[in-house]
PDB file of all heavy atoms in Angstrom:
ATOM      1  N   GLU A 224     -25.936  -8.372  16.488  1.00 92.00           N
ATOM      2  CA  GLU A 224     -25.936  -9.495  17.448  1.00 92.00           C
ATOM      3  C   GLU A 224     -24.508  -9.845  17.928  1.00 92.00           C
ATOM      4  O   GLU A 224     -24.230 -10.039  19.119  1.00 92.00           O
ATOM      5  CB  GLU A 224     -26.618 -10.704  16.868  1.00 92.00           C
ATOM      6  CG  GLU A 224     -28.108 -10.566  16.559  1.00 92.00           C
ATOM      7  CD  GLU A 224     -28.967 -10.913  17.771  1.00 92.00           C
ATOM      8  OE1 GLU A 224     -28.403 -11.409  18.787  1.00 92.00           O
ATOM      9  OE2 GLU A 224     -30.203 -10.718  17.743  1.00 92.00           O
ATOM     10  N   ARG A 225     -23.646  -9.993  16.964  1.00 91.00           N
ATOM     11  CA  ARG A 225     -22.264 -10.376  17.313  1.00 91.00           C
ATOM     12  C   ARG A 225     -21.592  -9.298  18.108  1.00 91.00           C
ATOM     13  O   ARG A 225     -20.851  -9.637  19.090  1.00 91.00           O
ATOM     14  CB  ARG A 225     -21.480 -10.645  16.010  1.00 91.00           C
ATOM     15  CG  ARG A 225     -21.940 -11.797  15.220  1.00 91.00           C
ATOM     16  CD  ARG A 225     -20.967 -12.230  14.212  1.00 91.00           C
ATOM     17  NE  ARG A 225     -19.747 -12.848  14.813  1.00 91.00           N
ATOM     18  CZ  ARG A 225     -18.737 -13.340  14.060  1.00 91.00           C
ATOM     19  NH1 ARG A 225     -18.804 -13.383  12.746  1.00 91.00           N
ATOM     20  NH2 ARG A 225     -17.662 -13.847  14.702  1.00 91.00           N
ATOM     21  N   LEU A 226     -21.797  -8.028  17.757  1.00 91.00           N
ATOM     22  CA  LEU A 226     -21.153  -6.970  18.506  1.00 91.00           C
ATOM     23  C   LEU A 226     -21.717  -6.875  19.944  1.00 91.00           C
ATOM     24  O   LEU A 226     -20.957  -6.659  20.913  1.00 91.00           O
ATOM     25  CB  LEU A 226     -21.337  -5.602  17.804  1.00 91.00           C
ATOM     26  CG  LEU A 226     -20.548  -5.494  16.483  1.00 91.00           C
ATOM     27  CD1 LEU A 226     -20.973  -4.253  15.757  1.00 91.00           C
ATOM     28  CD2 LEU A 226     -19.091  -5.491  16.705  1.00 91.00           C
ATOM     29  N   LEU A 227     -22.981  -7.004  20.098  1.00 91.00           N
ATOM     30  CA  LEU A 227     -23.594  -7.034  21.436  1.00 91.00           C
ATOM     31  C   LEU A 227     -23.033  -8.173  22.277  1.00 91.00           C
ATOM     32  O   LEU A 227     -22.792  -7.995  23.457  1.00 91.00           O
ATOM     33  CB  LEU A 227     -25.148  -7.100  21.331  1.00 91.00           C
ATOM     34  CG  LEU A 227     -25.840  -5.812  20.870  1.00 91.00           C
ATOM     35  CD1 LEU A 227     -27.299  -6.114  20.572  1.00 91.00           C
ATOM     36  CD2 LEU A 227     -25.697  -4.725  21.855  1.00 91.00           C
ATOM     37  N   GLY A 228     -22.898  -9.306  21.631  1.00 88.00           N
ATOM     38  CA  GLY A 228     -22.334 -10.443  22.342  1.00 88.00           C
ATOM     39  C   GLY A 228     -20.878 -10.167  22.771  1.00 88.00           C
ATOM     40  O   GLY A 228     -20.469 -10.520  23.891  1.00 88.00           O
ATOM     41  N   GLU A 229     -20.082  -9.496  21.900  1.00 86.00           N
ATOM     42  CA  GLU A 229     -18.698  -9.143  22.250  1.00 86.00           C
ATOM     43  C   GLU A 229     -18.690  -8.262  23.470  1.00 86.00           C
ATOM     44  O   GLU A 229     -17.761  -8.276  24.268  1.00 86.00           O
ATOM     45  CB  GLU A 229     -18.039  -8.451  21.027  1.00 86.00           C
ATOM     46  CG  GLU A 229     -17.737  -9.330  19.897  1.00 86.00           C
ATOM     47  CD  GLU A 229     -16.307  -9.804  19.964  1.00 86.00           C
ATOM     48  OE1 GLU A 229     -15.647  -9.739  20.990  1.00 86.00           O
ATOM     49  OE2 GLU A 229     -15.828 -10.295  18.917  1.00 86.00           O
ATOM     50  N   LEU A 230     -19.707  -7.375  23.556  1.00 85.00           N
ATOM     51  CA  LEU A 230     -19.710  -6.429  24.673  1.00 85.00           C
ATOM     52  C   LEU A 230     -20.456  -6.965  25.916  1.00 85.00           C
ATOM     53  O   LEU A 230     -20.662  -6.240  26.879  1.00 85.00           O
ATOM     54  CB  LEU A 230     -20.445  -5.131  24.181  1.00 85.00           C
ATOM     55  CG  LEU A 230     -19.709  -4.416  23.028  1.00 85.00           C
ATOM     56  CD1 LEU A 230     -20.612  -3.284  22.520  1.00 85.00           C
ATOM     57  CD2 LEU A 230     -18.381  -3.871  23.478  1.00 85.00           C
ATOM     58  N   GLY A 231     -20.803  -8.232  25.844  1.00 80.00           N
ATOM     59  CA  GLY A 231     -21.496  -8.867  27.033  1.00 80.00           C
ATOM     60  C   GLY A 231     -22.936  -8.522  27.152  1.00 80.00           C
ATOM     61  O   GLY A 231     -23.441  -8.635  28.267  1.00 80.00           O
ATOM     62  N   VAL A 232     -23.585  -8.136  26.090  1.00 75.00           N
ATOM     63  CA  VAL A 232     -25.024  -7.737  26.154  1.00 75.00           C
ATOM     64  C   VAL A 232     -25.792  -8.704  25.203  1.00 75.00           C
ATOM     65  O   VAL A 232     -25.460  -8.737  23.986  1.00 75.00           O
ATOM     66  CB  VAL A 232     -25.235  -6.256  25.730  1.00 75.00           C
ATOM     67  CG1 VAL A 232     -26.706  -5.950  25.790  1.00 75.00           C
ATOM     68  CG2 VAL A 232     -24.413  -5.337  26.650  1.00 75.00           C
ATOM     69  N   GLU A 233     -26.764  -9.312  25.756  1.00 66.00           N
ATOM     70  CA  GLU A 233     -27.607 -10.189  24.887  1.00 66.00           C
ATOM     71  C   GLU A 233     -28.752  -9.323  24.341  1.00 66.00           C
ATOM     72  O   GLU A 233     -29.399  -8.586  25.097  1.00 66.00           O
ATOM     73  CB  GLU A 233     -28.168 -11.361  25.700  1.00 66.00           C
ATOM     74  CG  GLU A 233     -27.126 -12.293  26.267  1.00 66.00           C
ATOM     75  CD  GLU A 233     -26.266 -12.981  25.184  1.00 66.00           C
ATOM     76  OE1 GLU A 233     -26.828 -13.146  24.052  1.00 66.00           O
ATOM     77  OE2 GLU A 233     -25.122 -13.301  25.471  1.00 66.00           O
ATOM     78  N   SER A 234     -29.010  -9.503  23.030  1.00 55.00           N
ATOM     79  CA  SER A 234     -30.015  -8.634  22.400  1.00 55.00           C
ATOM     80  C   SER A 234     -31.419  -8.900  22.957  1.00 55.00           C
ATOM     81  O   SER A 234     -32.212  -8.006  23.044  1.00 55.00           O
ATOM     82  CB  SER A 234     -30.012  -8.906  20.874  1.00 55.00           C
ATOM     83  OG  SER A 234     -30.250 -10.266  20.590  1.00 55.00           O
ATOM     84  N   HIS A 235     -31.719 -10.167  23.388  1.00 49.00           N
ATOM     85  CA  HIS A 235     -33.029 -10.426  23.946  1.00 49.00           C
ATOM     86  C   HIS A 235     -33.259  -9.723  25.269  1.00 49.00           C
ATOM     87  O   HIS A 235     -34.356  -9.312  25.696  1.00 49.00           O
ATOM     88  CB  HIS A 235     -33.310 -11.903  24.112  1.00 49.00           C
ATOM     89  CG  HIS A 235     -32.376 -12.611  25.080  1.00 49.00           C
ATOM     90  ND1 HIS A 235     -32.520 -12.503  26.459  1.00 49.00           N
ATOM     91  CD2 HIS A 235     -31.304 -13.376  24.845  1.00 49.00           C
ATOM     92  CE1 HIS A 235     -31.554 -13.207  26.999  1.00 49.00           C
ATOM     93  NE2 HIS A 235     -30.789 -13.757  26.080  1.00 49.00           N
ATOM     94  N   ALA A 236     -32.129  -9.468  25.988  1.00 47.00           N
ATOM     95  CA  ALA A 236     -32.175  -8.693  27.241  1.00 47.00           C
ATOM     96  C   ALA A 236     -32.561  -7.243  26.963  1.00 47.00           C
ATOM     97  O   ALA A 236     -33.340  -6.610  27.717  1.00 47.00           O
ATOM     98  CB  ALA A 236     -30.886  -8.746  27.980  1.00 47.00           C
ATOM     99  N   LEU A 237     -32.017  -6.684  25.870  1.00 46.00           N
ATOM    100  CA  LEU A 237     -32.405  -5.314  25.468  1.00 46.00           C
ATOM    101  C   LEU A 237     -33.867  -5.228  25.089  1.00 46.00           C
ATOM    102  O   LEU A 237     -34.577  -4.287  25.392  1.00 46.00           O
ATOM    103  CB  LEU A 237     -31.537  -4.847  24.343  1.00 46.00           C
ATOM    104  CG  LEU A 237     -30.033  -4.558  24.629  1.00 46.00           C
ATOM    105  CD1 LEU A 237     -29.342  -4.135  23.417  1.00 46.00           C
ATOM    106  CD2 LEU A 237     -29.932  -3.508  25.724  1.00 46.00           C
ATOM    107  N   ALA A 238     -34.292  -6.228  24.344  1.00 48.00           N
ATOM    108  CA  ALA A 238     -35.680  -6.228  23.879  1.00 48.00           C
ATOM    109  C   ALA A 238     -36.631  -6.307  25.092  1.00 48.00           C
ATOM    110  O   ALA A 238     -37.730  -5.716  25.034  1.00 48.00           O
ATOM    111  CB  ALA A 238     -35.916  -7.361  22.945  1.00 48.00           C
TER     112      ALA A 238
END
Side-chain angles (χ1 to χ4, degrees):
E224 292 272 354
R225 293 194 70 176
L226 291 171
L227 288 170
E229 288 265 16
L230 298 171
V232 179
E233 298 298 333
S234 58
H235 62 76
L237 288 179

